[in-house]
Amino acid sequence: MLKIGLTGGIASGKSLVASRLQELGALLIDADLIARQVVEPGTAGLDRIVEAFGRGILDEEGRLDRPKLGSIVFHDPSQREVLNGIVHPLVREAAAAMMAGAGAGDIVVQDIPLLVETGQGSKFHLVVVVDAPDDLRVQRMVELRGMTPEDARSRMAAQATRKDRNAAADVILDNAATREELLATVDGLWEQRLVPFAENIKRGVRAVRSDGPVMASSKEHWGSQAARLAERLMAAAPEEIMAVDHIGSTSVPGLAAKDVLDLQVAVADLDTADRIAPLLAAAGFPAVPHVRQDTPKPSHPEPEGWQKRFHANADPGRPVNLHVRVAGSPGWHYALLFRDWLRAEPSAVALYESHKRELAGRYAEDRDTAAYADAKEPWFTDIAWPLVEEWANRTGWRPPSYSSSAVRKRGQ
């Protein structure tokens, strides 16, 4: 299934987006609704809240008096943490049970107001944030909910900042204009990205790419996107994956590149790479079986050291290449060394970019990315490798030493 985490600040319009996605066919899991259900009279959740806050937070019928409880927790962060510690685990348990009932090919949307605050982004294939300016949200709360401006801002202050929430997003839906414009944007997201993404995961295939070798100027968001994807990959197989590193051209600030992220997944051996392949596919990165090896470099000419497993993203909205390599192997070593050489040497960036642009122009008309990639290989061996090796010897470069729990468990 395709798992979407939907969030947004109070009065951002998140509920409208959730409702529209449900109308379009998504299975909606509403954290707010569940949060109400788990504290109904007779539940263990309500008993624990009464134990923590006293019977004064109940109304005459024995139900939770939400305005009274809200007046306590929204002005006292420590009390809010107590409440969250009671309710959030119960909500997650109920949501997991609903998730278990979804089928292959389903699009499951979890509406979670505090998704960012609770660090749940790595659980989802995509995090969708509904965004609106703070002043507009205050205006909505005053006009539509009858709040005072002070109370509205207090509620906002109890959540993540707009900047932090948007930084966690794969998709930002702008709700600063009309209701109709927001709904049209949601419809486009559903048709153009979510439905094909879900179908690709169900079929176990990568998203179709048709742009060819088109160079884009360096983007600041490439690094943050890679970091989010790395967290999801680590969450997919935390006991098996040693590390996920951003490599390739998009990992080098200032270097023009195809808008495709390259990530290197470090594992103990190729058996591990094969074992986690279904987990990576479920996380949105199906295997590309015919790619099994990199081109050997002169210092390690034996092909065995350059074997790998290759996966690519099923998401049509974010092309990703995933190189699963054995930690310490020549292929793993070279990917990190080449990246760090480019990061450290401006002249190397200029040299590589010139070569890439020349080849991209040659193959752009036919949109032949495979031919473009093949044409670059002699440059890596004949031009780049001597320069890279000289730089590594001169600077004393060494690859990273991973210290994740997976590595420690293997005694490395």
Side-chain angles (χ1 to χ4, degrees):
M1 72 190 77
L2 179 64
K3 295 177 287 186
I4 306 298
L6 174 65
T7 194
I10 185 170
S12 63
K14 175 176 59 62
S15 296
L16 177 61
V17 172
S19 177
R20 184 62 156 201
L21 289 170
Q22 187 174 35
E23 290 175 2
L24 291 169
L27 170 62
L28 178 64
I29 300 176
D30 187 335
D32 270 346
L33 177 60
I34 297 173
R36 292 177 178 273
Q37 294 171 340
V38 298
V39 295
E40 286 291 311
T43 63
L46 184 59
D47 291 343
R48 291 180 59 191
I49 290 177
V50 170
E51 181 180 352
F53 295 94
R55 299 195 62 82
I57 49 85
L58 299 178
D59 63 18
E60 294 179 354
E61 297 179 352
R63 293 182 173 275
L64 185 64
D65 188 328
R66 294 182 180 278
K68 185 177 293 185
L69 180 60
S71 67
I72 297 171
V73 301
F74 283 111
H75 294 90
D76 187 337
S78 64
Q79 293 288 73
R80 188 164 64 246
E81 287 301 315
V82 172
L83 178 63
N84 290 344
I86 295 170
V87 175
H88 288 173
L90 298 173
V91 171
R92 289 173 187 166
E93 182 180 353
M98 295 179 66
M99 182 80 75
D106 282 349
I107 299 174
V108 181
V109 175
Q110 288 199 50
D111 180 345
I112 307 176
L114 300 182
L115 183 151
V116 174
E117 293 85 340
T118 53
Q120 299 184 62
S122 62
K123 293 169 46 179
F124 301 99
H125 293 97
L126 290 176
V127 170
V128 177
V129 169
V130 187
D131 179 56
D134 290 349
D135 289 346
L136 179 57
R137 292 162 56 206
V138 171
Q139 179 183 337
R140 289 170 179 168
M141 284 185 273
V142 171
E143 295 179 354
L144 303 178
R145 305 188 187 190
M147 293 183 182
T148 66
E150 293 74 20
D151 192 22
R153 293 194 182 278
S154 176
R155 296 297 180 98
M156 290 169 55
Q159 298 181 331
T161 65
R162 184 184 180 196
K163 178 181 179 181
D164 288 345
R165 193 161 39 240
N166 287 352
D170 299 287
V171 178
I172 298 176
L173 300 177
D174 181 10
N175 187 24
T178 67
R179 181 178 187 275
E180 289 70 26
E181 287 176 305
L182 177 62
L183 293 179
T185 302
V186 174
D187 291 351
L189 174 67
W190 177 266
E191 296 169 4
Q192 299 166 24
R193 189 167 185 179
L194 302 190
V195 170
F197 195 172
E199 181 63 21
N200 289 341
I201 290 177
K202 181 180 179 181
R203 295 171 53 214
V205 298
R206 66 190 297 179
V208 175
R209 301 178 187 174
S210 58
D211 290 341
V214 177
M215 294 295 108
S217 58
S218 180
K219 309 296 183 185
E220 186 176 347
H221 64 248
W222 282 340
S224 58
Q225 288 180 342
R228 285 198 303 273
L229 292 170
E231 288 181 1
R232 288 173 192 157
L233 289 163
M234 290 295 298
E239 299 301 314
E240 307 283 5
I241 295 176
M242 295 180 175
V244 180
D245 291 295
H246 187 192
I247 60 169
S249 296
T250 57
S251 71
V252 181
L255 176 60
K258 301 193 307 298
D259 190 13
V260 180
L261 300 181
D262 283 276
L263 300 176
Q264 177 167 265
V265 175
V267 294
D269 47 53
L270 290 176
D271 287 341
T272 300
D274 293 332
R275 188 166 56 250
I276 67 173
L279 301 177
L280 298 181
F285 300 89
V288 182
H290 66 274
V291 181
R292 309 280 284 189
Q293 183 176 315
D294 296 307
T295 302
K297 301 299 179 288
S299 61
H300 294 86
E302 301 81 8
E304 293 77 12
W306 299 85
Q307 293 182 26
K308 68 176 181 180
R309 300 296 181 261
F310 185 71
H311 295 242
N313 206 342
D315 177 10
R318 175 64 272 174
V320 179
N321 293 330
L322 207 63
H323 309 264
V324 185
R325 297 184 174 111
V326 176
S329 69
W332 168 89
H333 185 278
Y334 180 75
L336 297 170
L337 172 56
F338 185 73
R339 177 200 66 187
D340 291 352
W341 171 63
L342 289 172
R343 286 178 173 179
E345 295 288 325
S347 61
V349 171
L351 182 66
Y352 187 35
E353 182 170 321
S354 174
H355 178 63
K356 282 154 56 77
R357 288 191 180 279
E358 190 273 326
L359 292 179
R362 187 186 307 173
Y363 295 101
E365 185 174 348
D366 296 331
R367 297 187 175 185
D368 194 339
T369 302
Y372 163 80
D374 289 342
K376 286 197 301 181
E377 282 301 326
W379 183 89
F380 288 123
T381 301
D382 300 336
I383 305 298
W385 177 249
L387 299 174
V388 170
E389 194 169 39
E390 185 278 330
W391 177 81
N393 292 332
R394 172 166 46 85
T395 62
W397 179 89
R398 293 291 181 271
S401 177
Y402 299 137
S403 58
S404 69
S405 60
V407 176
R408 288 196 297 272
K409 287 181 180 179
R410 293 186 177 92
Q412 297 181 20

